[in-house]
Amino acid sequence: QLQFVESGGGLVQFGGSLRLSCTASRYTLDSYYIAWFRQAPGKGREAVSYISAGSGSVNYADSVQGRFTISRDNAKNTVYLQMNSLKPEDTAVYYCAGVPGRLWTGDSRWSIAGEYDFWGQGTQVTVSS
């Protein structure tokens, strides 16, 4: 059973940066569509960004556009989320999620949590004001 492992979260001040990593053991991620979601206390899960298999397409939520960058390093079997200019409203648990390319239903559905079959346990990001 594929399970993602997230890392890189922590406590950072307003305007700071963090880089989150998502990897999986025993599975090669280059054929997977990978997304980052987040969930703040008392709120629903929100799509943050996604990257297609082969890195041909990326997308971002309006709230992070221009501040966050998603990328993948297939040699390291890792997907990254570089987060710059962090704000207190970015505080949340960040989750990595993925689905094999053969099951992908289209880029227009990238922000729907139900499109992803595999999830990680999450990593906490806290931004202080």
Side-chain angles (χ1 to χ4, degrees), residues 40-59:
K43 296 187 177 181
R45 194 162 291 190
E46 174 192 17
V48 175
S49 181
Y50 107 105
I51 187 166
S52 67
S55 304
S57 297
V58 297
N59 215 330

Side-chain angles (χ1 to χ4, degrees), residues 41-124:
K43 296 187 177 181
R45 194 162 291 190
E46 174 192 17
V48 175
S49 181
Y50 107 105
I51 187 166
S52 67
S55 304
S57 297
V58 297
N59 215 330
Y60 300 94
D62 290 344
S63 58
V64 306
Q65 181 76 44
R67 300 188 297 121
F68 290 11
T69 302
I70 192 170
S71 63
R72 65 195 309 158
D73 185 337
N74 289 333
K76 295 184 178 180
N77 205 39
T78 301
V79 173
Y80 301 102
L81 184 68
Q82 177 68 44
M83 306 186 297
N84 299 329
S85 302
L86 283 163
K87 306 174 182 180
E89 51 262 45
D90 295 317
T91 295
V93 178
Y94 284 70
Y95 298 90
C96 175
V99 62
R102 58 184 173 83
L103 298 179
W104 187 243
T105 58
D107 292 351
S108 64
R109 298 178 64 82
W110 77 269
S111 63
I112 300 173
E115 292 293 311
Y116 301 90
D117 293 337
F118 304 102
W119 292 78
Q121 294 299 309
T123 185
Q124 176 70 47

